[in-house]
Amino acid sequence: MDTVNKDKKERKVDFNLIADSGVADYSDGDIIVIDKLGVKPINENIKLDMILMVFCTKGRMQCDINEKTYMANAGDVIICLPNSYLSNYLISPDFESHIIGLSYSASQRKISLTSDALDIFSYVAQNPIVHLDAERQVLMSKYYSMISHKINNPHGLFHKEIMHGIFECAFYELCALISPHIQYEFGGGNIKQANLIFKKFIDELSKNEGRMRSVKFYAERLCITPKYLSFISKSVSQKTALYWVHDYTMKAIVRYLKYSNMSIKEISEKLEFPNLSFFGKFTKGHLGVSPTEFRKRQSIKKEGQ
């Protein structure tokens, strides 16, 4: 790897210093964009006075952040918060990256310091490398492509606002990726946010008592997207959100077929299926037999006991 930083002098690096160095492809007073790292390297140990996100697209980078050594590979994002100390950074000869920075003053204006945001910042301070899966690598590349397009086509109304909007979308995508790994206090012990969301999902399923609902319905109840709910469910339980929706509905169907005197039509209506035909197909798809046949077999079993 090529050594980029050798000196042990300390230097405060803020938005204005990088903007004045001439390495930026874009700067508007709040956001700065650099397409290549190391064009004019800063040869001191540095203290950041801004938020810096480095999306590694090729090669690898090693860096000490707050006296701890980290390695970032292609597909990783390095997030450095204000007051972070960086030193001893090395890059491989083929290293390529996209860098986006947010000034300290802009970060205070734009990022609402909710409890969730504070938890995420606390996590990032200890875990500055975010590993992106293939899907999110593509997504981050698309965000950067939009930023690059706007840099190359700077004319038009609301140019700065559009740039800020794209940055904020990319930033919150990373926050969404980070949030399931955060530890929370719950019930006297530590629990990951993913587990907490999954528990709330199961609670909603229980309260709904098996009524036919979509994954979207539960996602809206939890104020998250259906895709994120499915991701959480798969991460925690190794089963999809749709599996659990169907599982709770089928448990209710079996319970009513076995222990109630309701007709098939009444069960279908109670569980709010759109029609009796769909209820029959749904039940047969899970039990292998029609609701009528299932109930008949249960009666035979009782008589044989």
Side-chain angles (χ1 to χ4, degrees):
M1 299 179 87
D2 296 335
T3 302
V4 177
N5 191 338
K6 296 179 180 179
D7 281 346
K8 294 299 180 183
K9 298 177 183 178
E10 181 180 303
R11 188 177 189 185
K12 181 179 177 180
V13 174
D14 58 13
F15 188 93
N16 291 330
L17 178 64
I18 295 179
D20 294 341
S21 70
V23 302
D25 295 279
Y26 172 84
S27 175
D28 63 15
D30 287 330
I31 292 177
I32 200 160
V33 179
I34 306 170
D35 195 43
K36 293 184 182 298
L37 181 66
V39 176
K40 291 184 179 180
I42 301 168
N43 293 317
E44 294 92 3
N45 295 337
I46 62 177
K47 178 184 178 183
L48 285 181
D49 192 30
M50 60 188 297
I51 292 178
L52 202 65
M53 300 193 307
V54 182
F55 177 30
C56 306
T57 58
K58 188 178 180 182
R60 61 192 184 279
M61 174 181 180
Q62 179 178 302
C63 181
D64 289 354
I65 303 175
N66 297 326
E67 305 303 320
K68 186 175 180 180
T69 302
Y70 295 92
M71 175 71 77
N73 298 296
D76 292 343
V77 176
I78 307 169
I79 304 178
C80 297
L81 301 176
N83 298 316
S84 295
Y85 288 89
L86 279 65
S87 60
N88 300 323
Y89 55 101
L90 311 168
I91 58 175
S92 62
D94 61 341
F95 182 78
E96 293 180 5
S97 67
H98 303 313
I99 304 170
I100 304 176
L102 183 67
S103 71
Y104 184 69
S105 59
S107 68
Q108 291 180 309
R109 295 196 312 271
K110 292 182 171 296
I111 301 172
S112 300
L113 292 181
T114 62
S115 59
D116 286 338
L118 290 171
D119 287 330
I120 288 171
F121 287 159
S122 296
Y123 178 86
V124 169
Q126 301 299 320
N127 305 272
I129 307 294
V130 180
H131 303 287
L132 305 183
D133 58 23
E135 181 180 354
R136 281 188 170 84
Q137 287 183 42
V138 171
L139 186 59
M140 293 304 292
S141 293
K142 288 181 178 179
Y143 280 126
Y144 189 80
S145 293
M146 287 190 286
I147 289 173
S148 181
H149 174 76
K150 295 305 296 181
I151 290 173
N152 294 324
N153 299 273
H155 305 294
L157 197 61
F158 303 118
H159 176 71
K160 181 176 179 178
E161 289 79 4
I162 292 170
M163 289 290 289
H164 285 213
I166 299 171
F167 171 84
E168 288 180 32
C169 287
F171 178 78
Y172 285 114
E173 285 285 355
L174 290 174
C175 289
L177 178 62
I178 293 166
S179 61
H181 302 286
I182 298 172
Q183 298 288 338
Y184 286 84
E185 289 296 320
F186 184 80
N190 289 327
I191 185 169
K192 287 183 178 179
Q193 190 194 34
N195 294 345
L196 187 59
I197 293 174
F198 183 74
K199 181 186 181 301
K200 290 180 179 178
F201 172 46
I202 295 300
D203 288 343
E204 290 292 332
L205 286 170
S206 298
K207 286 190 291 186
N208 198 43
E209 299 180 338
R211 294 180 182 87
M212 174 53 69
R213 294 289 186 267
S214 65
V215 172
K216 181 181 178 182
F217 169 85
Y218 290 102
E220 289 175 348
R221 299 276 292 186
L222 298 170
C223 300
I224 58 178
T225 66
K227 188 173 183 180
Y228 189 54
L229 177 56
S230 294
F231 168 74
I232 290 290
S233 180
K234 192 73 173 176
S235 299
V236 174
S237 70
Q238 286 72 57
K239 298 183 185 298
T240 65
L242 185 61
Y243 167 88
W244 289 111
V245 172
H246 287 178
D247 181 69
Y248 270 71
T249 299
M250 280 310 307
K251 285 178 179 176
I253 291 172
V254 169
R255 185 172 64 252
Y256 289 128
L257 288 175
K258 291 177 69 174
Y259 304 116
S260 79
N261 293 320
M262 288 189 293
S263 68
I264 303 301
K265 185 173 185 296
E266 287 173 337
I267 296 173
S268 173
E269 290 174 347
K270 184 173 182 64
L271 297 179
E272 299 182 9
F273 276 75
N275 54 64
L276 188 59
S277 174
F278 182 72
F279 174 78
K281 290 179 181 178
F282 180 86
T283 303
K284 187 172 183 178
H286 287 81
L287 297 179
V289 294
S290 68
T292 303
E293 181 63 23
F294 179 82
R295 175 170 271 179
K296 181 179 177 181
R297 291 183 182 183
Q298 295 303 308
S299 298
I300 294 172
K301 285 182 181 180
K302 289 181 181 179
E303 291 173 1
Q305 291 177 352

